[in-house]
């Protein structure tokens, strides 16, 4: 069987030609409704969609299923990054990584400023981006028994 990415149209991203995996994802929108087809896993910060597909599906050829299920459009910023990459990104988008991004109360509600009682905790730009990156480590995977059927549909 030809690799799925060979039959997809190509697009240019940051000067590199890549497969447009969003081309035929309408069927996956339907599949999303069936929660019993998925399970959650926590990945390492150095995991890639290819490594995850290899580990859970036995071949890296199904990396596109991992991306599609988790709505990964931009593999550089939608996927989990290593901590040094997060620091580099924060330094690129913010003047000061230690500047307060927002305030949080004990229930983790966010506020633009502290309260008069000063009962909120400041969260810096770097803390916030590290937190968001850590959340990306929790991904959904299609149960392996459904993968061949999805691949055949595509």
């Amino acid at each position: 069987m030809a690799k799925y990415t060979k039959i997809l149209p190509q697009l240019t991203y940051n000067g590199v030609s890549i497969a447009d995996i969003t081309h035929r994802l309408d069927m996956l929108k339907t599949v999303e409704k069936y929660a019993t087809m998925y399970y959650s896993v926590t990945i390492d910060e150095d995991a890639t969609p290819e490594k995850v597909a290899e580990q859970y599906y036995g071949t890296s050829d199904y990396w596109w299923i991992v991306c599609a299920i988790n709505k990964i459009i931009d593999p550089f910023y939608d996927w989990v990054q290593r901590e040094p990459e997060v620091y580099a990104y924060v330094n690129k988008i913010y003047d000061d990584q230690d500047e307060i991004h927002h305030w949080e109360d004990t229930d983790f509600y966010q506020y633009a400023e502290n309260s008069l009682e000063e009962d909120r905790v400041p969260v810096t730009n770097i803390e916030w981006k590290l937190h968001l990156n850590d959340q990306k480590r929790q991904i959904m995977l299609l149960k392996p028994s459904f993968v061949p059927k999805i691949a055949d549909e595509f």
Side-chain angles (χ1 to χ4, degrees):
M1 177 172 81
K3 288 187 179 181
Y4 179 67
T5 54
K6 299 285 187 212
I7 60 174
L8 286 174
Q10 299 290 301
L11 61 86
T12 302
Y13 181 81
N14 285 345
V16 178
S17 180
I18 60 173
D20 181 3
I21 66 167
T22 64
H23 185 68
R24 281 200 54 201
L25 297 183
D26 290 336
M27 193 265 305
L28 282 176
K29 291 176 186 172
T30 304
V31 172
E32 284 178 345
K33 297 176 187 175
Y34 302 101
T36 58
M37 296 175 69
Y38 302 94
Y39 62 102
S40 179
V41 297
T42 303
I43 59 173
D44 293 329
E45 70 174 18
D46 61 345
T48 65
E50 294 84 359
K51 288 180 184 177
V52 171
E54 179 72 36
Q55 180 180 356
Y56 291 96
Y57 301 143
T59 176
S60 61
D61 291 347
Y62 293 138
W63 65 269
W64 59 272
I65 292 177
V66 174
C67 288
I69 297 301
N70 291 284
K71 298 177 177 65
I72 305 299
I73 303 299
D74 183 338
F76 298 108
Y77 298 108
D78 294 345
W79 190 258
V80 66
Q81 297 176 319
R82 292 182 191 94
E83 194 169 302
E85 293 167 334
V86 177
Y87 275 90
Y89 178 65
V90 167
N91 287 330
K92 182 178 177 180
I93 63 171
Y94 295 110
D95 291 333
D96 181 5
Q97 71 178 18
D98 295 319
E99 183 179 31
I100 295 172
H101 186 273
H102 64 269
W103 301 82
E104 290 182 355
D105 63 17
T106 55
D107 294 323
F108 301 106
Y109 290 112
Q110 296 178 17
Y111 302 91
E113 55 191 40
N114 201 358
S115 65
L116 294 175
E117 295 83 22
E118 296 188 11
D119 59 347
R120 298 176 186 159
V121 177
V123 177
T124 64
N125 292 325
I126 190 63
E127 290 171 331
W128 180 241
K129 289 299 183 184
L130 287 170
H131 169 73
L132 293 178
N133 189 61
D134 195 47
Q135 287 182 327
K136 293 176 187 175
R137 294 183 63 228
Q138 194 71 32
I139 65 169
M140 297 300 291
L141 290 177
L142 189 62
K143 289 183 180 176
S145 60
F146 295 107
V147 170
K149 185 176 281 191
I150 298 296
D152 287 345
E153 279 291 320
F154 279 88

